[in-house]
Amino acid sequence: MSRVDATEQNRRSPYLFDTLFNFRDVGGYATRDGRTVRWRRLYRSDSPHRLTATDVEAFAAIGVRTVVDLRRPYEVTRDGRVPGFDGLAYRHIHPEHREWAESRYDSTTDLARYLADRYRDLTDTGARGLAEAVGVIADPAAAPVMVHCVAGKDRTGLVCALTLAALGVADDDIAADYALTDEGMARYLTSTVAGPDTNPLGVPLACPPEAMALFLGELRHRYGSVEEYLMAGGLTADQLTTLRDHLLD
């Protein structure tokens, strides 16, 4: 993973929470043109609906201005949303996609292939929502932004991957960032909030980097580039320019 300065890696998750398990900073990656993704502009996380009063105070101290919630409407209704406080904007953006139960995981199937196929399905049906989420990230007035879904693994992983790719980060680094979620899943599964129904579909809560590498390569094969895919979903050329201007040093 080619973060510009290895000593900066602890800034991936500079804040500790009792009730967030997959929170981290997406900054620090080098781009192909020699720039660097800025720290403290984009965070990714699992759902913040569990934040305690102490965690809300720590969360507010980060200075997040906008939370982008990628969950399905029934997931928001079921679990609730991030607690509100002054200065925090909440955006619920649901990329349309089939329930995973419609494409159940077979343990004889390669997990990376299975995940890449699910991500392909999501990008096919959820292009407008994914482009809208990247558009929020592209708005300097919205920053810092935190993007989340339920576990901060799949939908969140796609939005962050598409953003990093549009910024010019190498696929190997994007795949490595995606794989860091394994650490968050391990923390979640050993927490007191994880119950017996944590994974009812039987899909391993793992993030093999090969899954993201497959997904990105196949997306480019189908659309030409990540930028072309996002623009087909509604992102504008001006938004891509603004994204790079305020997220890159």
Side-chain angles (χ1 to χ4, degrees):
M1 186 189 308
S2 60
R3 294 223 167 179
V4 169
D5 183 346
T7 64
E8 296 270 4
Q9 289 198 21
N10 286 335
R11 294 175 68 180
R12 285 199 310 263
S13 185
Y15 306 94
L16 298 177
F17 301 95
D18 291 330
T19 51
L20 286 182
F21 308 100
N22 197 21
F23 175 91
R24 64 180 182 274
D25 197 326
V26 186
Y29 291 105
T31 64
R32 292 184 182 88
D33 64 359
R35 291 188 285 179
T36 307
V37 181
R38 296 178 69 186
W39 294 101
R40 303 185 191 277
R41 287 295 177 271
L42 176 60
Y43 300 95
R44 56 180 295 170
S45 181
D46 51 315
S47 177
H49 69 274
R50 292 183 297 267
L51 287 174
T52 61
T54 300
D55 277 350
V56 165
E57 184 176 348
F59 184 78
I62 299 170
V64 170
R65 291 182 182 173
T66 308
V67 168
V68 176
D69 184 344
L70 301 170
R71 294 175 297 167
R72 297 176 185 274
Y74 78 76
E75 292 172 324
V76 179
T77 300
R78 179 192 67 198
D79 296 333
R81 45 160 283 188
V82 62
F85 53 85
D86 288 344
L88 182 68
Y90 173 78
R91 293 287 301 273
H92 180 218
I93 299 173
H94 169 223
E96 295 287 342
H97 59 292
R98 294 188 301 168
E99 294 280 0
W100 282 43
E102 297 178 33
S103 303
R104 298 190 71 87
Y105 175 68
D106 180 343
S107 60
T108 64
T109 302
D110 177 69
L111 179 60
R113 178 72 269 167
Y114 173 82
L115 290 170
D117 288 345
R118 301 292 71 73
Y119 299 161
R120 177 202 63 212
D121 293 345
L122 198 157
T123 50
D124 283 348
T125 59
R128 186 170 297 277
L130 293 170
E132 183 181 355
V134 176
V136 175
I137 295 167
D139 181 2
V145 174
M146 187 186 85
V147 179
H148 78 88
C149 50
V150 174
K153 173 182 178 293
D154 301 308
R155 291 164 285 191
T156 299
L158 288 185
V159 168
C160 290
L162 293 169
T163 300
L164 290 173
L167 291 172
V169 175
D171 285 3
D172 285 351
D173 287 340
I174 297 171
D177 183 82
Y178 164 78
L180 290 175
T181 288
D182 281 341
E183 299 173 19
M185 293 299 92
R187 286 193 293 272
Y188 174 67
L189 290 172
T190 58
S191 73
T192 58
V193 302
D197 297 326
T198 294
N199 189 17
L201 300 180
V203 181
L205 294 177
C207 297
E210 297 83 5
M212 186 56 68
L214 277 170
F215 161 73
L216 288 170
E218 292 170 358
L219 184 78
R220 291 193 184 93
H221 179 74
R222 289 183 295 137
Y223 290 93
S225 69
V226 168
E227 292 87 343
E228 288 177 86
Y229 167 75
L230 290 169
M231 292 178 72
L235 196 72
T236 67
D238 285 346
Q239 285 176 304
L240 281 169
T241 298
T242 303
L243 178 76
R244 293 164 182 150
D245 285 347
H246 93 88
L247 273 181
L248 293 177
D249 283 328

